[in-house]
């Protein structure tokens, strides 16, 4: 009997499984209430919107824009390399130095952005004053950029030449992973394709005239870069901020005097590297002054602060399933297609105007791509952010629009603000009304 | 356990199981679900032990361990407890859409014992209304000018239980009176979810809550032995309005029906009994529900064989209170066995029930395996 009882209870326990959900046969056999959805464009919900400029300067950007787009922009990059030793100590513990004798220079520029449809893309190197700094302008550097060309290379021709594969590196992990390839030309230029073609490392071979060692300048050098092409002449160069700055490696030798060494008159070889103390770019025409519209981008970077007046019912009686910010551009952004960029909407932790601290919860960000030449209405999905506002009434209901990456380009987009009644920013919210539980 | 052993340890252990079962989550204290109850207050529970249920419910007015009437508690001669469970497999045909559902329920528990020679006090729980259901709705709606496939899932898990304390008094050797006080209470965990096929742009909306229900009621019943072989029972019950609270706020109040019924039992010898019962409930008085109907239910059944191991069978029919159009109907067939053990200190009842429900646009067929245990420690 015990076994029989145990069996029965085990049977009962095993049967303790639930499946009570079935396809509905509505309305006759469904709850009286149903899940109701509403879709509303709130045209006046965004208010007290403003733009502010000066967040990121050109010398703090992750890239330097170099472009020559007639009628649109002429952008030029420049940088000043760090000081370099012009003399070397020949014996440890001895203060006696001897001058170095420069032999050659290997100089690298990293092209981190370009238009792959550009043809006959040429990069030209100029000397610029080592006093160039953040106060330098397009006009103040114009003379230097119209001076003698230090070196010039045709990137398109390099890319069209037969690929060169270093047999030592041919089977390296990096090559197998990224498919890196190297190209050479007769002028000593080497083009190394990195990161599946997204980055081009361009190496120049410079002589002592092109990259002189001037003792009075403590070995400092200033270079400027211009670009030309049949069309779409626009590239971005890596900077210190992005970890891929211009890089100079100087090879030299010196002779040990017979008075200080057991190896008199012997020749010793060496090399030293220089990276930029300062890198930036200038362009013409400059970013226009702020006006009543919402400016995003440009240099120094402009951001727009938009405040949202959330209706009470969006806080407590609904569930937001989609929220889209609607922005109408004032005009299409001009430039090369490769200069397309993203606009990122980030919540503010507290509304302190231009200096509002930004939220770091990336799940609440919204972004969209701004394509050069496009003038369509811009939509940015802000579902997670608006859901968070709906649930947490203590959150600041404001967000900031910024360019990504900031200040790396002359490009800037302007949207109509709340001052333009017919084309002001709006918020398109799709929400589910609270289900009425408890009613039959 | 060996048949005939009378130390009561097994029965005590089984009583422990029964007590454990009484604290089972309220969502399990339900009877059989039905899609007919979704648009109403729920599916009324069957206030019957396994013994009564396997006779089609006909023995319920005469079975002390069926919480239908109070007067029959007067038959309890020593402290006893009974526990009922059922596992159901339900197939649904809703206008051609078929589905299969299953569930396990613990619809009734009764514990009773004599206070004096003439007075017996009892109590327990039973399912008043079952509110466990789930519906899934697939549809396509126009959102922002795009046809968007959606899926809605609305689920309710729980039941409204009837907690009863009753007293029965034998006023005369042939007449017993029973009175009961009922607290109707329970809760359902409810969930409404809408999900979108376009998960990249639309987030799933989920609303969860808990609905608490409450009401009170009273019942009275009489049991009269016309002869030593013939018994008649009559009962009446009334309840207050059923209040539904969400988050401490009352969201609905609904009338509950008056219940009255009568039953007849005939002992055709020492090893055979036949019974029948009729029950009326005026569910139509629930004003807030458009398609509520008064119900009339009948049942006949028999118990054959020795009291230690009887065979039972029964037939029931009647109506369900909620349904669009004409009143939904229910027909059921059941049979089962009983077996005493531990010298009569325990009894195990098993049964099988087949129900067919039909209404406008919906047919349900239910198989239920019933398991009941009664112990007298």
């Amino acid at each position: 009997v015990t076994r029989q009882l145990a069996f029965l209870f085990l049977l009962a326990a095993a049967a303790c499984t639930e499946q009570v959900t079935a396809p509905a046969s509505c309305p006759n056999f469904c709850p009286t209430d149903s899940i109701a959805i509403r879709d509303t464009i709130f045209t006046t919900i965004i208010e007290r919107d403003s733009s502010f400029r000066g967040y990121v300067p050109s010398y703090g950007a992750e890239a330097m824009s170099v472009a020559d787009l007639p009628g649109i922009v002429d952008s030029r990059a420049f940088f000043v390399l760090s000081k370099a030793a012009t003399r070397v100590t020949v014996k440890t513990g001895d203060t006696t130095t001897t001058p170095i004798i420069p032999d050659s220079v290997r100089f690298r520029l990293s092209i981190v952005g370009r238009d792959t449809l550009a043809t006959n893309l040429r990069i030209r190197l100029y000397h610029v004053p080592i006093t160039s700094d953040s106060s330098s302008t397009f006009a103040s550097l114009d003379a230097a950029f119209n001076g003698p060309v230090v070196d010039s290379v045709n990137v398109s021709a390099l890319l069209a030449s037969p690929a060169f594969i270093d047999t030592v590196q041919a089977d390296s992990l990096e090559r197998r992973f990224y498919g890196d390839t190297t190209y050479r030309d007769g002028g000593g230029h080497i083009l190394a394709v990195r990161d599946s073609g997204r980055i081009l490392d361009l190496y120049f071979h410079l002589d002592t005239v092109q990259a002189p060692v001037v003792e009075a300048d403590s070995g400092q050098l200033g270079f400027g870069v211009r670009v030309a092409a049949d069309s779409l002449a626009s590239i971005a160069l890596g900077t210190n901020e992005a970890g891929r700055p211009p890089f100079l490696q100087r090879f030299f030798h010196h002779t040990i005097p017979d008075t200080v060494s057991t190896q008199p008159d012997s020749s010793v070889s060496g090399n030293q590297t220089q990276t930029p103390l300062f890198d930036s770019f200038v362009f013409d025409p400059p970013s226009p002054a702020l006006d009543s519209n919402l400016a995003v981008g440009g240099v120094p970077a402009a951001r727009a602060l938009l405040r949202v007046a959330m209706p009470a019912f969006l806080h407590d009686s609904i569930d937001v399933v989609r929220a889209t910010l609607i922005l109408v551009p004032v005009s299409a952004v001009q430039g090369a297609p490769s200069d397309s960029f993203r606009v990122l909407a980030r919540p503010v932790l507290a509304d302190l105007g231009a200096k509002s601290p930004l939220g770091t919860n990336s799940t609440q960000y919204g972004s969209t791509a701004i394509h050069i030449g496009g003038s369509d209405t811009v939509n940015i999905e802000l579902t997670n952010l608006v859901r968070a506002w709906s649930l947490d009434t203590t959150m600041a209901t404001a967000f900031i629009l910024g360019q990504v990456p900031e200040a790396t380009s002359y490009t800037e987009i302007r949207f109509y603000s709340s001052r333009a009644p017919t084309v002001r920013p709006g918020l398109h919210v799709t929400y589910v009304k609270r289900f009425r539980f408890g009613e039959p | 356990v060996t048949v005939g052993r009378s130390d009561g340890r097994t029965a005590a252990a089984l009583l422990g199981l029964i007590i454990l079962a009484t604290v089972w989550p309220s969502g399990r204290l339900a009877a059989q679900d039905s899609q007919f109850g979704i648009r109403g207050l729920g599916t009324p529970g069957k206030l019957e032990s396994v013994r009564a249920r396997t006779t089609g419910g006909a023995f319920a007015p005469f079975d002390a361990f069926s919480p239908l009437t109070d007067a029959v508690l007067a038959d309890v001669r020593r402290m006893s407890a009974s526990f009922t469970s059922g596992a159901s497999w339900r197939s649904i045909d809703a206008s051609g859409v078929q589905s299969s559902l299953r569930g396990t329920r613990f619809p009734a528990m009764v514990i009773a014992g004599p206070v004096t020679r003439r007075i017996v006090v009892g109590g327990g729980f039973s399912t008043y209304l079952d509110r466990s259901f789930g519906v899934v709705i697939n549809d396509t709606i126009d959102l922002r000018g795009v046809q968007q496939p959606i899926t809605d899932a609305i689920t309710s898990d729980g039941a409204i239980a009837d907690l009863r304390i009753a007293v029965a008094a034998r006023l005369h050797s042939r007449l017993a009176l029973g009175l009961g006080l009922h607290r109707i209470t329970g809760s359902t965990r409810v969930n409404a979810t809408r999900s979108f096929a376009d998960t990249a742009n639309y987030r799933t909306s989920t609303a969860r809550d808990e609905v608490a229900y409450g009401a009170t009621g009273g019942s009275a019943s009489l049991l009269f032995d016309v002869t030593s072989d013939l018994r008649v029972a009559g009962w009446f019950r009334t309840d207050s309005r059923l209040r539904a609270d969400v988050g401490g706020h009352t969201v609905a109040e609904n009338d509950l029906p008056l219940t009255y019924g009568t039953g007849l039992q005939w002992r055709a010898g020492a090893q055979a009994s036949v019974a029948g019962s009729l029950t009326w409930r005026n569910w139509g008085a629930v004003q807030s529900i458009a398609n509520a109907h008064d119900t009339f239910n009948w049942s006949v059944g028999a118990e054959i064989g020795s009291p230690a191991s009887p065979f039972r069978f029964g037939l029931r029919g009647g109506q369900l209170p909620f349904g669009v159009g004409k009143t939904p109907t229910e027909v059921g067939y059941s049979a089962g066995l009983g077996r005493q053990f531990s010298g009569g200190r325990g009894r195990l009842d098993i049964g099988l029930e087949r129900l067919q429900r039909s209404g406008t646009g919906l047919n349900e067929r239910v198989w239920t395996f019933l398991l009941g245990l009664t112990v007298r420690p």
Side-chain angles (χ1 to χ4, degrees):
Chain A
V1 174
T2 303
R3 277 199 296 271
Q4 291 167 356
L5 278 174
F7 173 76
L8 284 171
F9 276 101
L10 281 174
L11 184 68
C16 283
T17 54
E18 289 277 317
Q19 170 54 35
V20 295
T21 302
S25 178
C26 295
N28 291 348
F29 303 103
C30 287
T32 311
D33 196 16
S34 59
I35 298 175
I37 198 162
R38 298 284 183 273
D39 194 39
T40 305
I41 299 177
F42 295 93
T43 54
T44 59
I45 199 172
I46 292 173
E47 57 183 26
R48 297 188 297 135
D49 44 353
S50 313
S51 280
F52 307 94
R53 190 180 291 286
Y55 289 96
V56 180
S58 57
Y59 55 83
E62 295 176 8
M64 296 179 286
S65 174
V66 187
D68 186 4
L69 301 169
I72 299 174
V73 73
D74 187 355
S75 183
R76 301 163 179 176
F78 67 98
F79 44 87
V80 178
L81 297 174
S82 58
K83 293 178 180 178
T86 56
R87 302 179 69 87
V88 292
T89 303
V90 294
K91 184 180 179 184
T92 305
D94 193 334
T95 58
T96 304
T97 60
T98 185
I100 65 168
I101 302 164
D103 294 323
S104 64
V105 163
R106 179 69 72 197
F107 176 64
R108 185 197 71 189
L109 284 177
S110 289
I111 302 171
V112 296
R114 66 193 166 98
D115 198 313
T116 54
L117 297 178
T119 56
N120 200 21
L121 179 68
R122 289 152 286 152
I123 291 176
R124 290 198 288 262
L125 211 56
Y126 297 86
H127 283 303
V128 299
I130 60 170
T131 53
S132 302
D133 58 15
S134 60
S135 63
S136 299
T137 62
F138 187 89
S140 69
L141 295 173
D142 193 47
F145 277 106
N146 284 297
V149 176
V150 173
D151 196 7
S152 176
V153 59
N154 189 321
V155 175
S156 298
L158 269 173
L159 287 169
S161 65
F164 171 80
I165 299 174
D166 186 336
T167 53
V168 175
Q169 299 295 323
D171 199 36
S172 68
L173 179 65
E174 188 174 81
R175 177 177 163 70
R176 274 182 283 144
F177 193 76
Y178 294 116
D180 289 357
T181 311
T182 304
Y183 301 91
R184 286 178 176 176
D185 67 7
H189 302 109
I190 298 172
L191 188 68
V193 180
R194 311 284 190 205
D195 197 13
S196 303
R198 288 193 298 174
I199 296 174
L200 301 179
D201 278 340
L202 179 60
Y203 292 90
F204 296 82
H205 181 238
L206 305 179
D207 59 25
T208 54
V209 175
Q210 292 168 308
V213 176
V214 180
E215 192 156 359
D217 293 341
S218 300
Q220 274 194 293
L221 285 169
F223 286 105
V225 181
R226 292 183 69 177
V227 71
D230 295 341
S231 63
L232 308 173
S234 181
I235 64 170
L237 299 178
T239 64
N240 277 329
E241 286 74 13
R244 220 173 177 91
F247 176 83
L248 185 145
Q249 186 174 24
R250 183 184 298 281
F251 299 91
F252 60 86
H253 70 274
H254 62 90
T255 304
I256 299 174
D258 57 1
T259 56
V260 296
S261 171
T262 56
Q263 295 177 300
D265 297 329
S266 59
S267 180
V268 179
S269 296
N271 72 84
Q272 59 181 332
T273 59
Q274 290 173 267
T275 53
L277 285 175
F278 177 85
D279 53 19
S280 185
F281 65 100
V282 290
F283 58 91
D284 183 59
S287 296
L290 297 178
D291 55 16
S292 64
N293 296 310
L294 302 175
V296 178
V299 180
R303 296 176 184 172
L305 171 64
L306 291 85
R307 298 176 174 91
V308 181
M310 289 276 285
F313 80 93
L314 278 182
H315 277 301
D316 52 19
S317 59
I318 56 104
D319 192 11
V320 174
V321 294
R322 187 178 183 185
T324 309
L325 175 67
I326 302 170
L327 298 162
V328 180
V330 175
S331 60
V333 181
Q334 299 296 308
S338 63
D339 294 327
S340 297
F341 56 92
R342 297 191 72 77
V343 166
L344 180 68
R346 295 178 66 179
V348 299
L349 295 175
D351 185 357
L352 303 175
K355 296 185 178 179
S356 300
L358 295 174
T360 55
N361 183 353
S362 60
T363 61
Q364 294 175 355
Y365 296 174
S367 73
T368 193
I370 303 295
H371 298 286
I372 300 299
S375 57
D376 289 346
T377 299
V378 172
N379 295 314
I380 301 178
E381 297 296 336
L382 293 178
T383 306
N384 287 348
L385 180 59
V386 176
R387 280 171 74 98
W389 288 343
S390 176
L391 296 171
D392 184 354
T393 56
T394 65
M395 287 181 71
T397 54
F399 59 91
I400 279 187
L401 294 177
Q403 189 182 33
V404 179
E406 286 190 303
T408 59
S409 167
Y410 57 90
T411 52
E412 175 183 293
I413 188 166
R414 296 205 175 201
F415 302 108
Y416 286 109
S417 70
S418 60
R419 269 79 65 190
T422 57
V423 283
R424 60 185 296 169
L427 195 62
H428 192 169
V429 181
T430 307
Y431 58 93
V432 172
K433 293 186 72 177
R434 184 170 291 276
F435 194 87
R436 287 177 294 151
F437 291 119
E439 298 179 14
Chain B
V1 179
T2 304
V3 175
R5 190 169 135 185
S6 58
D7 60 4
R9 281 185 298 176
T10 303
L14 292 174
L15 180 61
L17 281 175
I18 290 170
I19 293 169
L20 183 67
T22 63
V23 295
W24 206 272
S26 61
R28 302 257 174 200
L29 303 180
Q32 290 161 345
D33 317 307
S34 171
Q35 304 302 93
F36 285 107
I38 293 176
R39 213 169 170 82
L41 294 179
T43 305
K46 289 182 167 49
L47 309 179
E48 299 159 4
S49 67
V50 174
R51 179 191 178 215
R53 190 123 165 218
T54 50
T55 58
F59 276 55
F62 311 103
D63 176 26
F65 300 105
S66 293
L68 178 66
T69 63
D70 309 312
V72 71
L73 289 173
D75 287 348
V76 176
R77 286 283 149 255
R78 55 186 295 181
M79 183 72 171
S80 306
S82 180
F83 162 68
T84 302
S85 71
S88 297
W89 292 263
R90 184 160 50 113
S91 59
I92 298 169
D93 182 347
S95 303
V97 179
Q98 297 182 340
S99 52
S100 297
L101 308 177
R102 62 181 182 275
T104 303
R105 299 290 182 257
F106 302 88
M109 198 280 283
V110 172
I111 186 165
V115 179
T116 68
R117 202 166 62 84
R118 290 178 174 272
I119 296 176
V120 177
V121 173
F125 69 78
S126 57
T127 299
Y128 190 85
L129 287 166
D130 190 293
R131 289 196 54 80
S132 288
F133 64 83
V135 292
V136 175
I137 305 160
N138 291 303
D139 201 355
T140 299
I141 60 174
D142 187 315
L143 270 181
R144 303 187 178 193
V146 177
Q147 291 297 305
Q148 190 67 243
I150 58 153
T151 301
D152 289 350
I154 302 169
T155 61
S156 171
D157 183 16
I160 302 169
D162 176 9
L163 304 180
R164 177 184 71 145
I165 182 160
V167 60
R170 187 155 289 283
L171 305 177
H172 183 270
S173 60
R174 292 187 171 187
L175 180 66
L177 169 68
L179 297 171
L181 188 63
H182 300 260
R183 176 60 191 164
I184 297 170
T185 184
S187 64
T188 54
R189 288 181 293 275
V190 285
N191 195 324
T193 300
R194 167 162 290 185
S195 54
F196 299 84
D198 179 5
T199 54
N201 287 312
Y202 291 92
R203 302 290 177 273
T204 297
S205 168
T206 302
R208 292 189 186 87
D209 230 319
E210 184 159 327
V211 184
Y213 297 91
T216 54
S219 59
S221 53
L222 281 171
L223 190 65
F224 180 63
D225 293 317
V226 180
T227 68
S228 59
D229 297 327
L230 191 65
R231 293 186 114 181
V232 177
W235 63 93
F236 174 81
R237 175 172 175 170
T238 181
D239 298 296
S240 69
R241 303 190 82 193
L242 179 67
R243 200 181 65 246
D245 293 340
V246 175
H249 299 282
T250 300
V251 295
E253 280 193 296
N254 293 286
D255 294 312
L256 292 175
L258 292 174
T259 304
Y260 46 96
T262 184
L264 181 71
Q265 185 187 40
W266 175 50
R267 292 196 186 89
Q271 296 198 358
S273 292
V274 179
S277 70
L278 305 171
T279 305
W280 292 266
R281 303 180 90 179
N282 68 330
W283 282 103
V286 183
Q287 300 290 335
S288 57
I289 298 173
N291 293 295
H293 310 277
D294 293 341
T295 61
F296 166 68
N297 294 78
W298 57 266
S299 61
V300 291
E303 187 176 63
I304 298 169
S306 73
S309 55
F311 170 69
R312 308 176 186 115
F313 59 93
L315 177 66
R316 73 166 77 226
Q319 296 160 322
L320 293 167
F322 305 110
V324 176
K326 67 172 188 176
T327 308
T329 59
E330 179 183 73
V331 175
Y333 319 90
S334 53
L337 297 168
R339 177 78 182 268
Q340 284 188 358
F341 58 91
S342 296
R345 289 179 183 275
R347 192 184 75 207
L348 189 67
D349 297 301
I350 58 171
L352 198 62
E353 180 186 63
R354 171 70 165 171
L355 289 175
Q356 288 180 262
R357 298 167 180 149
S358 59
T360 305
L362 180 69
N363 288 297
E364 285 186 342
R365 286 173 171 74
V366 190
W367 281 107
T368 302
F369 171 72
L370 299 159
L371 178 64
L373 186 66
T374 304
V375 291
R376 300 178 181 84

